[in-house]
Amino acid sequence: MMISSSSTSPSSSSLSSPYFLAAPSPLIPATILLVLCLPALFYLAPHILPPPPPPPISFPDELQDLSLFRRATAVETQTNKPKSRLGSTNSKPKIAFLFLTNTDLHFSPLWERFFTGNKSNRDLYTLYVHADPTVNPKIKIPGGVFSEDRFIPAKKTRRGTATLIAAARRLLATALLDDPANQFFTLVSQYCIPLHSFNYFYDAVFEIKSHQIAELSQLKYKSFIEIISDDPYIWDRYNARGGNVMVPEVPFDKFRMGSQFFTLTRKHSVLVVSDRRLWKKFRLDCLKPNSCYPEEHYFQTLLSMEDPKGCSGYTLTRVNWTDSVDGHPHTYYPVEVSTELIYVLRRSNFTNSYMFARKFSPDCLEPLMNMASDVIFRD
Ligand SMILES: *[C@@H]1O[C@H](CO)[C@@H](O)[C@H](O)[C@H]1NC(C)=O
Ligand SMILES: *[C@@H]1O[C@H](CO)[C@@H](O)[C@H](O)[C@H]1NC(C)=O
Ligand SMILES: *[C@@H]1O[C@H](CO)[C@@H](O)[C@H](O)[C@H]1NC(C)=O
């Protein structure tokens, strides 16, 4: 923009100079055309040409991740007897919440209420935060559930790149290693809010009915992940890294799409962090940034290839794509926040109602807190 405006003025003033008017020659029209076109080119270039590709994930970063993923996978396969392992420590199965953020955790007070609303839930969840190291987020309730030790070693993330896959895998691997009682792994962002109480969510994923105790049988449970094969944009998404680059690992008919936000079983989390084959393709840089959302394809494609029956096929996180702009969904502002909105957002066409929703602007915190106990956490 700066270049185009500064180069426009000298060229237009030279057009009105006496030289151009007095001395016509066959070369002049071409020169005028060139002089006229240059600023236009400067102006249009960034709009026509794609921006330069983002820097790839660096080799040292990749090695560090690989070592973390290897450890997580090794621990799991060496001690693959969840019943005896957990039975001896007598711990109940937990849900690991994986917060992926590159800003402040705007809704941490609301999440604090979600987790601590019922004191007897203290042993049923663990929290992990992957915060962009260049941002250093501020937590609104110091010493609460989001204490410093919940922050995991993080790396910079960038929209439209495989860094978002890498960050989610880092969260999964850390949570796998940290606590064998973690049986479900729920990914959320700073723009997500809960739509139900923790107890409601816990009972839904563990399929608990009327005061049962959660079972540890991993075979029984499904991952909640959206898996779509017939989206109108899927061909563009498939070719975002260039033609024919995804084969043979990912043929087009195996390529899937879905929400970035999922709740995975422990078995599927291990599968994700142990994968090398698909990552090799999904980590490639995109040539078409407008079609590039690797985090909406990698997990969906991998799990649909490896264990489609073990996946629900839908997400538990509601999002409003009406009138979306530049790949961003509708953002809710305080004037829209109401009891009715919470009820509408919960409504789903699937077996479970929605448990979380996005995206909410940070100033929705106050109206949401005001209706926390009477609406959001009342099921
Ligand atoms: C509190 O948590 C316990 C154990 O998870 C559960 O049995 C109880 O119903 C919960 N109480 C409320 C009010 O949600
Ligand atoms: C979704 O967003 C549109 C505006 O983009 C809004 O009119 C509509 O009410 C929203 N739907 C829900 C269920 O919130
Ligand atoms: C449920 O399905 C209907 C019909 O396909 C659709 O109009 C509606 O938007 C769906 N609701 C949600 C919450 O996705």
Side-chain angles (χ1 to χ4, degrees), residues 113 339 343 369-379:
R113 289 271 285 279
T339 304
Y343 295 155
M369 289 299 280
N370 290 342
M371 61 166 76
S373 13
D374 290 342
V375 180
I376 302 175
F377 301 136
R378 174 170 293 176
D379 307 300

Side-chain angles (χ1 to χ4, degrees), residues 318 320 322-323 330 332 336 341 344-345:
R318 176 75 178 259
N320 182 350
T322 311
D323 305 328
H330 176 69
Y332 291 97
E336 296 167 273
L341 179 69
V344 168
L345 293 180

Side-chain angles (χ1 to χ4, degrees), residues 55 67 97 140 148 183 228 255 279 281 322 339 360 374:
S67 132
F97 278 79
K140 293 208 168 65
E148 301 273 302
Q183 293 296 311
I228 295 169
F255 187 71
W279 168 246
K281 289 297 161 86
T322 311
T339 304
F360 282 75
D374 290 342

Side-chain angles (χ1 to χ4, degrees), residues 309-324:
K309 291 211 175 84
C311 301
S312 70
Y314 59 88
T315 177
L316 297 175
T317 303
R318 176 75 178 259
V319 57
N320 182 350
W321 286 112
T322 311
D323 305 328
S324 76

Side-chain angles (χ1 to χ4, degrees), residues 318-319 344-350 354:
R318 176 75 178 259
V319 57
V344 168
L345 293 180
R346 281 174 176 177
R347 246 176 255 153
S348 145
N349 289 332
F350 306 103
Y354 286 107

Side-chain angles (χ1 to χ4, degrees), residues 27 103 249 370:
L27 272 178
T103 66
E249 289 83 356
N370 290 342

Side-chain angles (χ1 to χ4, degrees), residues 66-78:
L66 197 58
S67 132
L68 170 69
F69 301 160
R70 284 221 169 102
R71 273 186 290 135
T73 314
V75 164
E76 193 65 17
T77 45
Q78 275 159 22

Side-chain angles (χ1 to χ4, degrees), residues 127-129 144-152 178:
L127 266 63
Y128 306 89
V129 183
V145 293
F146 293 95
S147 55
E148 301 273 302
D149 61 351
R150 298 290 94 199
F151 282 67
I152 74 160
D178 181 56

